[in-house]
Amino acid sequence: MQDQARLQSFKAAAGSTTLVNMESPVKDDNNEKAPGFYAYFVLGLVTLIRTAYVINKNSIGYAFGFQGLGEMATSKYMLSMSYPQIIPIYGIVASLLFSAAYSTSNIFMSSQSKKWNKKWMLALGTLGFGMSSLIAGGVNSFWVFCIMRFTFGLCSSAINAPIYQLIATNFPPKFRATAN
């Protein structure tokens, strides 16, 4: 009954009997509007991007010793067989190259995310880490692989601040626990 009254007052305030925007007309006690369709769309997109990032970041460990499955098992797909020089310095290639680029550029990217367009920054960061992974897997060169691992760290740092700022923008403080 109370929701019907709220809906009627919302329609009257909007000046029509149809709901034009996609946001929820129901407000909570603190006068904060509940997140609408767009907020949850952004949340879903951000979740997909973070999932792709984590899979790409952690896949080097699997590729190092992956041999295939069942009858298709062969050492042809092992990263350690493709690049034998990686075996003694695996920790440097897998972790240090990524972490050095990620941690240092994350400071810069976080400060710039307030000045730059967050959606473009997120899109370019996602495109960058995707392309660096494709190039690292497609080019048969140890040094290109190392450079692309470093580039992956740079591009990955560009997605953190925009993700959290987009969540903060689309979800009022009372609803942020839902998004996180």
Side-chain angles (χ1 to χ4, degrees):
M1 194 64 124
Q2 194 176 19
D3 288 337
Q4 285 287 23
R6 284 184 180 174
L7 185 59
Q8 289 299 331
S9 66
F10 179 75
K11 287 179 182 179
S16 77
T17 57
T18 59
L19 188 59
V20 177
N21 64 1
M22 298 295 283
E23 296 182 353
S24 173
V26 180
K27 294 185 178 186
D28 69 345
D29 295 337
N30 294 336
N31 207 19
E32 293 177 345
K33 209 182 319 182
F37 174 78
Y38 179 74
Y40 286 103
F41 173 75
V42 169
L43 182 63
L45 193 61
V46 162
T47 303
L48 287 174
I49 291 170
R50 283 300 279 193
T51 302
Y53 156 72
V54 169
I55 289 170
N56 276 306
K57 183 181 89 162
N58 295 329
S59 64
I60 190 171
Y62 300 116
F64 186 73
F66 180 73
Q67 293 185 359
L69 301 172
E71 295 175 6
M72 301 295 287
T74 175
S75 61
K76 169 180 151 180
Y77 301 109
M78 288 178 66
L79 189 63
S80 57
M81 293 300 206
S82 297
Y83 308 121
Q85 61 268 46
I86 202 172
I87 295 171
I89 58 170
Y90 173 74
I92 293 171
V93 174
S95 184
L96 185 63
L97 286 175
F98 170 80
S99 298
Y102 181 78
S103 59
T104 54
S105 64
N106 206 11
I107 296 167
F108 173 72
M109 293 296 183
S110 295
S111 67
Q112 295 305 310
S113 69
K114 295 175 183 167
K115 300 174 187 174
W116 298 345
N117 185 323
K118 292 164 198 48
K119 293 174 188 172
W120 278 105
M121 192 172 173
L122 182 62
L124 292 175
T126 304
L127 183 67
F129 81 68
M131 291 302 295
S132 67
S133 294
L134 284 173
I135 292 169
V139 176
N140 193 13
S141 167
F142 176 71
W143 294 109
V144 170
F145 181 79
C146 291
I147 291 167
M148 288 300 110
R149 188 70 181 164
F150 186 82
T151 305
F152 178 72
L154 290 174
C155 295
S156 295
S157 69
I159 68 169
N160 278 337
I163 282 176
Y164 292 115
Q165 289 174 358
L166 284 170
I167 289 173
T169 302
N170 289 297
F171 287 86
K174 183 171 179 150
F175 297 98
R176 284 197 193 134
T178 304
N180 286 330

